[in-house]
Amino acid sequence: MNYDLGYDDRHTSCRSNSCFYFVGVAGVGMSPLAQFCAGKGNKVVGSDRAFVIGKANQDVTELSRCGVECVPQNGEHIPQDTTDVVVSAAVEETNPDIREIRKRNLNLVQRSDLLAKLVAESEGGSVCVAGTAGKSTTTLLTYQLLREANRNGEKVRRPQLIAGAAHNSEKRAGQSGNVDYEGDGLLVFEGDESDKSVIKYHPSVSIITNIGHDHHEMSVTQGLFQTLANQTSGYIVVNSGDELVRQIKGSKVVSFALDSQDSKADFVVSDLKQTAAGLSFKINGVSFAFHSIGLHNALNVAAAVAVAVTEGVSLEFCAKILENYGGAYRRGNIISGRNSDVVVIDDFAHTPEEVAETIRTATSFSDRVFAIYQPHGYGPLRKTYEEMVPLLKSVLRPQDTLFLTKVYYEGGTTDMSIDAEFVAKYFSLFGIPCRYIDDREILPGEMKGEAKSGDVIVVMGARDKSLAQYAEKFL
């Protein structure tokens, strides 16, 4: 049934013995899973608090095209034939859907448990991409290399994909870009350490990109990744330039690293250069170009290449595939034209290390940087704002400016005692050039009069789906 949510009824929900109901279906972890289940022939219905009757919604358009029926989240549209209700850790008991589900005693399944089941059932094997940062980009890169190799006749089976981020070109064209359920090869997916669900998976291949301070103490995160490695049946791909990752053991280990950090790694990144047009570097002497920014993205490419080459794709063919690849949506995207005087970058950076690295990269090819950072939650900001001080002091120059906007708040119960305005004042005490912006909408107009040729504007933040459109206002 169409609830006037913008449902695209050119595709109807597939019916089989299972009917999945997703609570919070527009979430970054829920949406691809719902699409994948629908693509495999199940009936899938999903609700989200962002779905409002009579109001257009891009998520509804994308989901419905994949066969997911979208309904309001008010407890009134849960199908009678529902076999499994899929929830994430973000869904609270006060949710009206949850109250109705409890009343009807329906079977509740955690998102991560459903994903673990799909991984276990994948006859072509699976690749779990883990790490504090870089998971989404590395997931998409790994899939892209295997998919293009398959498309061009290489002896690689067509991979499958369940990703939190989307291919940049597909997403900006209005497609979901984060799912492929038609393959019979490796299922490439992200393993989330934030809720510790990464230990639920038993993949054939695991990638561990890095370990930083985000959701847990780093020793805890390292333990989670070691458990994943222990449960991996084939080989693990590790960033041997990261001290904590290097300590993770596996029965078969394939390594990648910067030449300055581990010149004996199996896949060595060297000759890294960053310009306003993107990255150039070499992996084991083969030249690569990638239209994105950041040292971290060169390492993400190396991790994906390590899997592709181990699976039988040549290093040279990997380089050719990435020449025209647009990268992952909101992951270091250079959205200004190649001939623009002012470079505008849209980036998902949200951990202290990611924010600092994005700014550092921008300063490497600019006269001045205007960095706009929207914290993605009160909890993460409270845990990391003190840690950010030395990182920001090391990358921001006197002529640069960091703008902190209001914390992105999705609702729910949380401690709001530390907000962006407090943090901006705290940063200023340490000489960090920082301004708090109560209304972010004033900045595009301000920048049009302030930014000059040679300057870079970078928009950073996670979770908020409007940030991509916001970044475009600076063009």
Side-chain angles (χ1 to χ4, degrees):
M1 182 178 294
N2 182 351
Y3 291 96
D4 196 23
L5 290 168
Y7 178 71
D8 186 337
D9 59 6
R10 289 176 294 173
H11 293 69
T12 56
S13 297
C14 300
R15 296 181 181 272
S16 68
N17 292 330
S18 295
C19 173
F20 293 100
Y21 185 82
F22 283 74
V23 183
V25 72
V28 293
M30 297 281 272
S31 173
L33 202 53
Q35 294 174 60
F36 193 89
C37 288
K40 290 296 187 181
N42 299 286
K43 176 182 177 182
V44 179
V45 181
S47 70
D48 200 276
R49 61 185 168 198
F51 297 167
V52 179
I53 292 176
K55 184 178 180 180
N57 185 292
Q58 183 62 33
D59 289 313
V60 171
T61 301
E62 294 174 3
L63 286 163
S64 63
R65 283 177 178 168
C66 294
V68 178
E69 183 180 347
C70 298
V71 299
Q73 195 174 86
N74 55 17
E76 299 176 4
H77 304 291
I78 304 168
Q80 290 301 315
D81 59 345
T82 296
T83 54
D84 297 284
V85 176
V86 186
V87 297
S88 71
V91 178
E92 297 182 333
E93 285 293 323
T94 55
N95 185 293
D97 274 357
I98 296 298
R99 288 200 295 262
E100 177 63 19
I101 288 159
R102 295 293 189 196
K103 187 186 302 182
R104 289 168 52 179
N105 198 29
L106 295 172
N107 182 44
L108 277 174
V109 180
Q110 285 290 327
R111 177 200 69 83
S112 54
D113 289 324
L114 177 58
L115 178 55
K117 181 180 179 182
L118 294 174
V119 170
E121 292 176 349
S122 175
E123 295 181 358
S126 59
V127 180
C128 178
V129 182
T132 307
K135 290 186 292 292
S136 295
T137 301
T138 305
T139 298
L140 291 172
L141 284 165
T142 303
Y143 166 82
Q144 185 71 11
L145 292 175
L146 295 173
R147 179 69 183 99
E148 290 304 312
N150 167 268
R151 199 193 307 270
N152 284 274
E154 299 284 322
K155 293 181 180 180
V156 177
R157 294 163 72 181
R158 176 172 174 170
Q160 304 170 82
L161 174 68
I162 298 176
H167 295 293
N168 185 39
S169 57
E170 294 181 23
K171 186 69 174 179
R172 293 186 188 274
Q175 303 170 39
S176 61
N178 59 353
V179 172
D180 184 350
Y181 47 79
E182 296 183 3
D184 61 354
L186 289 165
L187 169 57
V188 188
F189 70 100
E190 297 178 40
D192 189 2
E193 82 286 352
S194 67
D195 60 359
K196 301 184 179 180
S197 62
V198 68
I199 64 175
K200 294 181 178 181
Y201 310 120
H202 293 72
S204 45
V205 179
S206 288
I207 299 173
I208 303 172
T209 60
N210 47 57
I211 295 175
H213 187 197
D214 190 4
H215 302 282
H216 311 292
E217 294 300 322
M218 289 190 284
S219 60
V220 174
T221 302
Q222 184 187 42
L224 294 172
F225 293 161
Q226 181 61 67
T227 299
L228 173 67
N230 295 342
Q231 295 169 178
T232 301
S233 62
Y235 59 93
I236 63 172
V237 175
V238 300
N239 177 2
S240 56
D242 183 304
E243 182 179 354
L244 292 178
V245 175
R246 186 167 59 244
Q247 296 170 9
I248 293 175
K249 307 300 181 184
S251 58
K252 180 180 179 182
V253 178
V254 178
S255 60
F256 67 93
L258 292 173
D259 58 349
S260 60
Q261 295 176 335
D262 183 8
S263 60
K264 295 183 179 179
D266 296 307
F267 294 87
V268 177
V269 178
S270 64
D271 300 288
L272 180 64
K273 295 179 182 178
Q274 178 74 66
T275 69
L279 279 167
S280 65
F281 53 94
K282 291 181 179 179
I283 298 179
N284 292 359
V286 176
S287 296
F288 280 75
F290 189 43
H291 189 59
S292 187
I293 68 160
L295 164 67
H296 56 289
N297 272 321
L299 289 170
N300 293 336
V301 169
V305 165
V307 173
V309 173
T310 304
E311 294 298 319
V313 184
S314 73
L315 192 59
E316 292 76 12
F317 191 71
C318 288
K320 182 179 180 181
I321 291 171
L322 292 181
E323 282 180 0
N324 299 310
Y325 179 54
Y329 181 64
R330 296 210 62 243
R331 270 60 174 187
N333 301 153
I334 302 169
I335 62 173
S336 49
R338 293 182 182 270
N339 297 318
S340 297
D341 291 334
V342 177
V343 176
V344 180
I345 297 167
D346 182 17
D347 194 54
F348 195 72
H350 59 285
T351 68
E353 295 86 356
E354 288 173 337
V355 170
E357 175 59 23
T358 296
I359 294 173
R360 187 203 65 77
T361 300
T363 62
S364 71
F365 61 89
S366 68
D367 297 328
R368 185 171 50 165
V369 172
F370 297 102
I372 300 143
Y373 173 48
Q374 177 177 278
H376 64 291
Y378 286 96
L381 181 63
R382 186 174 62 255
K383 292 177 182 177
T384 62
Y385 76 95
E386 293 176 302
E387 178 185 341
M388 293 182 74
V389 170
L391 293 170
L392 292 173
K393 283 179 67 68
S394 70
V395 296
L396 284 165
R397 304 164 297 185
Q399 68 266 36
D400 302 324
T401 304
L402 172 66
F403 298 96
L404 275 185
T405 70
K406 278 184 177 180
V407 175
Y408 179 65
Y409 176 55
E410 292 182 309
T413 305
T414 189
D415 179 359
M416 301 183 184
S417 58
I418 302 295
D419 61 12
E421 184 174 14
F422 170 85
V423 172
K425 292 177 181 177
Y426 181 81
F427 285 169
S428 297
L429 294 176
F430 294 88
I432 294 172
C434 181
R435 280 177 55 193
Y436 169 68
I437 302 296
D438 188 65
D439 179 9
R440 73 182 193 183
E441 295 303 324
I442 70 171
L443 279 175
E446 184 177 318
M447 288 297 100
K448 284 187 181 351
E450 179 69 16
K452 309 297 182 185
S453 178
D455 291 344
V456 170
I457 299 170
V458 55
V459 176
M460 298 176 288
R463 293 184 180 168
D464 183 355
K465 294 181 179 180
S466 71
L467 280 173
Q469 288 72 37
Y470 177 65
E472 292 177 356
K473 293 181 180 181
F474 292 91
L475 296 176

